[in-house]
Amino acid sequence: MTTEQSTQWWRDAVIYQVYPRSFADADGDGVGDLPGITARLDHLAGLGVDAVWLSPFYPSPQADAGYDVANYRDVDPLFGRLADFDALVARAHALGIRVIVDLVPNHTSDEHPWFQAALAAGPGSPERDRYCFRDEPNDWESIFGGSAWTQVEDGQWYLHLFDVRQPDLNWNNPEVRAEFVEILRFWLDRGVDGFRVDVSHGLIKTWEPSDKVDAPPPAIPDGPEPMWDQDGVHEIYRSWRKVVDSYPGERILVAEAWVDPIERMARYVRPDEMHQAFNFAYLLASWSADAIREVVDSSLAVCQAVGAPTTWVLSNHDVVRHTSRFGYADGTLPRNGIAAADPQPDEALGLRRGRAASMLMLALPGAAYVYQGEEFGLPEHSTLPDDVRQDPTWVRSGHTVVGRDGCRVPIPWAAGGPSYGFGPDSRSWLPQPPAWDRYALDRQRGVEGSTYELYRAALRLRREYALGAGTLTWWPEAGPDAVAFRNGGVVVVANLGAEPVALPAGARVLLASGDLDVDGRVPTDTAVWALV
Ligand code: GLC
């Protein structure tokens, strides 16, 4: 590692995702808020994370849980006020935790003043040109289901790649570009350490770029998914990189780009673009040693080729929690929700594998993302009643895609209490399942072998042995059903096969996700870190 790289905190950071509405509710309205987060920052410091990423807390009608922003420079009263945000940043920084906020540039809320002005101004107006209005729709479909186009009263159609209440901005319009630079500056001036950039791969569609703004908008070709991952997005990120680099202290940009193959992901983290991109190929891998080794290899290779750190992620607010995803002995890998009527995951199997998967992830070189509640071993809420679902996916898919509510349920802090300590009383914007007592923090803190203590120890050892900054060398002696490697002086063995795996002779176990067998071997669905 070069001297320059050693000051780049983000290269080996552990970044914890807070989903504000479900983290901690200070005011008791059943929705988490910024003061709730601030009050729980000690927990994150105790866990040992380097940074938090906050999902959106901006003023929003909450049609997509805040990913529909009506004002990019304020806090929704649901979550608090700007002063609460400043207090959160101050407390986090005092604890040595950096703060990353979510930036949603692909679309606004339909309640954003720009969209309201566009509706009022009518066809052909400069106000409409900030969005993607056309006289005729094409065949594109919304990610949440149904057509990606909605007609307005005067007959024109606007594009929304997500919900009907999330109109896509026209990134070929210079005013849109200028506005987002100002938004970046607004939050940078308030002290944020970076931005997670929502739908980074979506901003530029397939029509012609800005030198044609005065010409009538070209027709949009039909096509399966031509709106994603266009080359034109990269110049936007190059310009943003200059903005964040003009501030002291290594502020970062993180791409949320669901692109394929993985080589395309690496294009977002070229030296003059973003700092990191979520590694969704890793998240999507099945519980199979071959699949995981392959994606680790390709991830490291494509990121190394552009000088960026690899990132690792297993769970977030958009996918089934990994403890439940890996809870199917037959290899089923649900991603977009589990309904009460679906085959249910085996909770014990999922937890066992989930703990092993987390230890494996946290030992890999690069940066790692942890989603709130992961450190409690929390499963998906897989039996939510359909009538409480709030994810627009559920409605827009005509109730065919369950959606993401199950991974967004408020998390348990205290056993026995109403809302498991999420808020002061029993209110919780999504119902919590019965029997979450055993996952509550106060049942796990100080308890040897608990998932919380496993994460805490893993983060401490990861730091002590500089695993995030290390290099991986495969250790094939562990056999084809294990994911096994050396990272510096630490050997990591995750056994995904049916037979126990022996550690190297003389190995001293540092941490294990489950008990070893009587012969000191690593059993099925268990991961071990050892010194050799
Ligand atoms: C991203 C967010 C997701 C949201 C979508 C639209 O994928 O992670 O939650 O629904 O963008 O903003």
Side-chain angles (χ1 to χ4, degrees):
M1 189 184 274
T2 65
T3 320
E4 189 196 339
Q5 287 186 351
S6 66
T7 62
Q8 295 176 332
W9 64 271
W10 40 276
R11 287 191 168 266
D12 57 357
V14 174
I15 301 174
Y16 182 100
Q17 180 187 0
V18 169
Y19 194 64
R21 51 173 45 242
S22 303
F23 189 69
D25 178 18
D27 66 6
D29 63 355
V31 179
D33 44 42
L34 299 186
I37 299 169
T38 306
R40 294 276 183 195
L41 284 173
D42 286 345
H43 163 69
L44 299 183
L47 188 61
V49 306
D50 300 290
V52 291
W53 145 38
L54 305 173
S55 281
F57 48 76
Y58 314 109
S60 159
Q62 306 289 327
D64 184 22
Y67 281 95
D68 48 323
V69 180
N71 176 356
Y72 288 84
R73 293 180 178 81
D74 206 346
V75 172
D76 195 299
L78 192 60
F79 300 117
R81 295 175 306 154
L82 264 180
D84 296 318
F85 178 78
D86 294 339
L88 188 161
V89 173
R91 178 72 188 139
H93 285 171
L95 291 168
I97 298 174
R98 291 183 161 88
V99 179
I100 293 171
V101 295
D102 218 306
L103 184 75
V104 188
N106 181 67
H107 43 264
T108 69
S109 159
D110 62 343
E111 290 187 13
H112 190 284
W114 273 9
F115 191 69
Q116 290 302 314
L119 291 180
S125 60
E127 288 84 354
R128 284 226 168 158
D129 191 59
R130 293 175 183 142
Y131 291 90
C132 304
F133 279 88
R134 292 293 184 276
D135 293 332
E136 294 294 334
N138 68 352
D139 68 350
W140 290 358
E141 288 188 1
S142 149
I143 290 287
F144 295 157
S147 168
W149 297 90
T150 291
Q151 195 166 28
V152 300
E153 268 182 17
D154 52 48
Q156 278 211 309
W157 301 73
Y158 69 91
L159 177 70
H160 52 87
L161 293 179
F162 293 87
D163 190 62
V164 61
R165 302 199 60 188
Q166 293 169 299
D168 279 51
L169 286 163
N170 171 17
W171 273 87
N172 293 319
N173 181 317
E175 232 187 310
V176 171
R177 295 196 181 215
E179 172 69 359
F180 273 85
V181 167
E182 292 311 310
I183 294 167
L184 289 175
R185 289 191 185 286
F186 178 86
W187 294 102
L188 289 165
D189 289 340
R190 289 199 105 81
V192 306
D193 300 285
F195 300 89
R196 175 262 188 193
V197 182
D198 192 62
V199 196
S200 299
H201 56 312
L203 275 51
I204 296 292
K205 318 310 193 252
T206 39
W207 50 77
E208 297 293 302
S210 54
D211 52 358
K212 303 263 173 67
V213 213
D214 291 337
I220 308 163
D222 288 349
E225 288 208 328
M227 65 291 249
W228 302 121
D229 199 23
Q230 300 297 309
D231 287 348
V233 297
H234 296 285
E235 70 174 80
I236 300 171
Y237 305 132
R238 286 192 196 102
S239 73
W240 291 4
R241 178 63 181 256
K242 292 197 183 97
V243 177
V244 297
D245 279 356
S246 71
Y247 283 76
E250 291 288 324
R251 323 273 178 117
I252 69 165
L253 296 166
V254 184
E256 188 222 19
W258 289 90
V259 296
D260 188 32
I262 198 166
E263 287 74 14
R264 299 293 298 185
M265 183 265 282
R267 292 163 56 88
Y268 290 77
V269 290
R270 290 177 288 192
D272 57 350
E273 297 193 38
M274 303 219 213
H275 299 73
Q276 295 182 352
F278 292 109
N279 188 345
F280 293 128
Y282 184 72
L283 182 150
L284 294 172
S286 59
W287 189 242
S288 128
D290 281 343
I292 294 174
R293 275 195 305 264
E294 200 179 306
V295 72
V296 167
D297 266 338
S298 58
S299 308
L300 291 170
V302 299
C303 288
Q304 259 156 27
V306 291
T310 311
T311 69
W312 312 102
V313 59
L314 289 166
S315 285
N316 66 31
H317 66 294
D318 288 331
V319 297
V320 170
R321 283 182 177 275
H322 68 275
T323 36
S324 299
R325 215 169 57 231
F326 295 145
Y328 292 84
D330 66 359
T332 302
L333 206 60
R335 202 183 111 196
N336 218 335
I338 304 170
D342 290 340
Q344 291 292 303
D346 174 335
E347 198 167 332
L349 176 71
L351 181 58
R352 188 177 170 83
R353 288 180 174 174
R355 287 163 55 107
S358 299
M359 278 194 57
L360 177 57
M361 171 178 86
L362 292 169
L364 290 166
Y369 280 82
V370 171
Y371 177 48
Q372 66 180 36
E374 219 184 285
E375 76 277 30
F376 305 156
L378 209 61
E380 186 86 355
H381 188 339
S382 56
T383 55
L384 267 176
D386 288 344
D387 61 357
V388 303
R389 295 195 187 287
Q390 305 209 11
D391 182 353
T393 307
W394 172 245
V395 171
R396 285 196 61 85
S397 69
H399 299 174
T400 56
V401 181
V402 176
R404 304 162 292 177
D405 294 304
C407 63
R408 298 175 173 182
V409 172
I411 63 173
W413 297 96
S419 73
Y420 302 107
F422 164 65
D425 56 32
S426 61
R427 268 176 285 188
S428 158
W429 70 280
L430 281 173
Q432 299 161 300
W436 261 18
D437 278 339
R438 61 178 174 280
Y439 294 109
L441 174 64
D442 68 351
R443 278 283 171 86
Q444 301 198 40
R445 198 194 277 125
V447 175
E448 210 191 310
S450 72
T451 304
Y452 170 71
E453 293 299 343
L454 180 72
Y455 265 76
R456 226 159 67 86
L459 294 197
R460 181 173 51 76
L461 292 167
R462 176 186 156 90
R463 198 181 293 256
E464 190 177 328
Y465 291 95
L467 299 179
T471 333
L472 173 148
T473 314
W474 293 116
W475 188 60
E477 287 84 342
D481 294 333
V483 179
F485 55 89
R486 287 172 195 269
N487 182 347
V490 176
V491 72
V492 177
V493 177
N495 182 6
L496 283 71
E499 300 303 321
V501 172
L503 290 167
R508 185 163 71 78
V509 173
L510 286 173
L511 192 63
S513 70
D515 292 336
L516 302 196
D517 74 6
V518 284
D519 300 317
R521 293 174 305 176
V522 183
T524 304
D525 295 333
T526 305
V528 171
W529 298 1
L531 284 181
V532 281

